[in-house]
Amino acid sequence: MSPISHDRESSTAGATHPIAQLCRLLLLVFVAAVLVAAIPVVIGGRNVLAETAEEIWEARLRLASLAAAHADRGLTEAFYEIELMAIGRTSGSDGDKPIPADRGLRSVLGEATSFRAGVVVLDAHGDVSYWEPSDLGTDLERSLPGDVMAAAAESDDRVVSEPYVDPRTGEIVSALSLPLFDANGTRRATIVGLFHVGGPLITDLVAPAFSLGASGHSDLVDARGRIVAAINPAHGPDAGDHPEFYVAVALARVPTVDTVSHDPPAYSLDSSEYHVMAYAPLRMAPWGVAIGASEASTMAAVTRQRTAMVVFGSSAIGVLLAGLLIVAYVCRSYRRPADDRSGVPEG
């Protein structure tokens, strides 16, 4: 080989082919594109999912607050009925004389009365002076607990008693009481209405719970975290899905949303391990509404978004990686070493 020929080959081997330069540039562009596509998808996706989850929790809390507001409305209407009874007693009776039988206290609202379980009037000393219906008096000592009567007779303001089971009917009852005073501020009497908690209050809990799907449920919880009323017949004072959560929120009495463990019985159709529960306290009573559903059902929207983001992000990154592999393959064909061509015999 002549010196001139050797120098030409050396200069050719040392030079960079224009296509090879373009390949390097394309490789850098594709690598940067993959990074630019992946990082925003991961960060942006996490933010979107977090915001969606927060919106779902806020919506659950609003639902519980709405149910609590409905329960407050029911108790407000009941106390309004007691006030109407107080007006009727003040204008229709003389001192502590019983009201005539043909002028029942519950007739102020006719069939719409909130106190189908009965009404009791206590005198200034806390003793029963009138009851309605009249057959209630034969069983009064058992149907109206002594602590309930004492609390009603001693309070100078309206009182909502702790719920208890009426032995005559087996219904859960709460005593709503309102004291009556004369012009001199002397206590004349106390009107006590026996309110079926499982009636009008539970009605307002059904629709919100059913809107949460098959696992949706709502409970009315008292000041000790016991279930007063529930849309699930299996729930009661000593049963429920989340007793520890109920005790904690009843003690705090602040609006709360949390993911709580769920230990379902063997016969339950809802086998989920966790529920997303919201709690909202009532204003008219030391109770609260707890409403929720399974975590899978609650976070279904987040799951759908996560799946869509994974599919979209994987597709985009897959396309970029495919392009990167194609460019790498093409570039590799233009980067053959010079000794691969040295074996060609000279003419």
Side-chain angles (χ1 to χ4, degrees), residues 63 205-218 231-232 291-292:
L63 192 62
L205 300 181
V206 173
F210 281 178
S211 68
L212 302 180
S215 62
H217 63 94
S218 56
I231 67 168
N232 188 341
I291 187 169

Short mmCIF file of all heavy atoms in Angstrom, two decimals, residues 63 205-218 231-232 291-292:
data_model
loop_
_atom_site.label_atom_id
_atom_site.label_comp_id
_atom_site.label_asym_id
_atom_site.label_seq_id
_atom_site.Cartn_x
_atom_site.Cartn_y
_atom_site.Cartn_z
N LEU A 63 -71.83 15.22 52.42
CA LEU A 63 -72.98 14.32 52.48
C LEU A 63 -73.36 14.02 53.92
O LEU A 63 -74.54 14.03 54.29
CB LEU A 63 -72.65 13.03 51.73
CG LEU A 63 -73.82 12.08 51.43
CD1 LEU A 63 -74.84 12.76 50.52
CD2 LEU A 63 -73.30 10.80 50.77
N LEU A 205 -81.52 9.33 56.50
CA LEU A 205 -80.21 8.71 56.32
C LEU A 205 -80.18 7.71 55.18
O LEU A 205 -79.10 7.34 54.71
CB LEU A 205 -79.80 7.99 57.61
CG LEU A 205 -79.67 8.82 58.89
CD1 LEU A 205 -79.24 7.93 60.04
CD2 LEU A 205 -78.68 9.96 58.70
N VAL A 206 -81.33 7.29 54.72
CA VAL A 206 -81.38 6.21 53.74
C VAL A 206 -80.88 6.66 52.38
O VAL A 206 -79.98 6.04 51.79
CB VAL A 206 -82.82 5.66 53.62
CG1 VAL A 206 -82.91 4.66 52.48
CG2 VAL A 206 -83.23 5.00 54.93
N ALA A 207 -81.44 7.74 51.85
CA ALA A 207 -81.09 8.19 50.50
C ALA A 207 -79.60 8.50 50.35
O ALA A 207 -78.97 8.07 49.37
CB ALA A 207 -81.94 9.40 50.11
N PRO A 208 -78.98 9.26 51.28
CA PRO A 208 -77.53 9.52 51.12
C PRO A 208 -76.70 8.25 51.11
O PRO A 208 -75.75 8.13 50.34
CB PRO A 208 -77.20 10.39 52.34
CG PRO A 208 -78.48 11.01 52.73
CD PRO A 208 -79.53 9.99 52.42
N ALA A 209 -77.05 7.27 51.94
CA ALA A 209 -76.28 6.04 51.99
C ALA A 209 -76.45 5.23 50.71
O ALA A 209 -75.48 4.67 50.18
CB ALA A 209 -76.68 5.21 53.21
N PHE A 210 -77.66 5.16 50.20
CA PHE A 210 -77.90 4.40 48.98
C PHE A 210 -77.19 5.02 47.79
O PHE A 210 -76.87 4.31 46.82
CB PHE A 210 -79.40 4.30 48.71
CG PHE A 210 -80.09 3.27 49.56
CD1 PHE A 210 -81.46 3.07 49.48
CD2 PHE A 210 -79.37 2.48 50.44
CE1 PHE A 210 -82.09 2.12 50.26
CE2 PHE A 210 -79.99 1.54 51.24
CZ PHE A 210 -81.36 1.35 51.14
N SER A 211 -76.93 6.31 47.82
CA SER A 211 -76.23 6.96 46.72
C SER A 211 -74.77 6.55 46.66
O SER A 211 -74.09 6.84 45.66
CB SER A 211 -76.33 8.48 46.85
OG SER A 211 -75.59 8.95 47.97
N LEU A 212 -74.27 5.88 47.69
CA LEU A 212 -72.86 5.47 47.73
C LEU A 212 -72.64 4.06 47.21
O LEU A 212 -71.52 3.56 47.26
CB LEU A 212 -72.35 5.57 49.17
CG LEU A 212 -72.44 6.95 49.81
CD1 LEU A 212 -71.90 6.91 51.23
CD2 LEU A 212 -71.71 7.98 48.98
N GLY A 213 -73.68 3.41 46.74
CA GLY A 213 -73.51 2.08 46.19
C GLY A 213 -73.92 0.99 47.16
O GLY A 213 -74.46 1.25 48.24
N ALA A 214 -73.61 -0.25 46.77
CA ALA A 214 -74.06 -1.41 47.55
C ALA A 214 -73.46 -1.44 48.95
O ALA A 214 -74.07 -1.95 49.89
CB ALA A 214 -73.70 -2.70 46.80
N SER A 215 -72.25 -0.91 49.12
CA SER A 215 -71.60 -0.94 50.43
C SER A 215 -71.90 0.30 51.27
O SER A 215 -71.42 0.40 52.40
CB SER A 215 -70.08 -1.08 50.27
OG SER A 215 -69.55 0.04 49.58
N GLY A 216 -72.68 1.22 50.75
CA GLY A 216 -72.98 2.45 51.49
C GLY A 216 -73.84 2.18 52.71
O GLY A 216 -74.75 1.36 52.67
N HIS A 217 -73.53 2.86 53.79
CA HIS A 217 -74.33 2.72 55.01
C HIS A 217 -74.19 3.99 55.83
O HIS A 217 -73.21 4.75 55.69
CB HIS A 217 -73.90 1.51 55.84
CG HIS A 217 -72.49 1.59 56.35
ND1 HIS A 217 -72.16 2.09 57.58
CD2 HIS A 217 -71.32 1.26 55.76
CE1 HIS A 217 -70.85 2.04 57.76
NE2 HIS A 217 -70.31 1.54 56.67
N SER A 218 -75.17 4.26 56.67
CA SER A 218 -75.12 5.44 57.53
C SER A 218 -75.74 5.09 58.88
O SER A 218 -76.69 4.32 58.96
CB SER A 218 -75.88 6.62 56.89
OG SER A 218 -77.21 6.26 56.59
N ILE A 231 -79.45 2.32 58.91
CA ILE A 231 -80.22 1.77 57.79
C ILE A 231 -79.97 0.28 57.65
O ILE A 231 -80.74 -0.41 56.99
CB ILE A 231 -79.89 2.50 56.48
CG1 ILE A 231 -78.45 2.22 56.05
CG2 ILE A 231 -80.11 3.98 56.60
CD1 ILE A 231 -78.15 2.66 54.64
N ASN A 232 -78.89 -0.21 58.24
CA ASN A 232 -78.60 -1.64 58.23
C ASN A 232 -79.22 -2.28 59.46
O ASN A 232 -78.85 -1.96 60.59
CB ASN A 232 -77.09 -1.87 58.23
CG ASN A 232 -76.72 -3.34 58.02
OD1 ASN A 232 -77.55 -4.23 58.22
ND2 ASN A 232 -75.50 -3.58 57.61
N ILE A 291 -71.37 8.26 57.92
CA ILE A 291 -71.82 7.75 56.62
C ILE A 291 -70.59 7.38 55.80
O ILE A 291 -69.57 8.07 55.85
CB ILE A 291 -72.69 8.78 55.89
CG1 ILE A 291 -73.29 8.21 54.63
CG2 ILE A 291 -71.91 10.06 55.59
CD1 ILE A 291 -74.37 9.09 54.02
N GLY A 292 -70.67 6.26 55.07
CA GLY A 292 -69.52 5.86 54.28
C GLY A 292 -69.79 4.63 53.45
O GLY A 292 -70.91 4.11 53.39
#
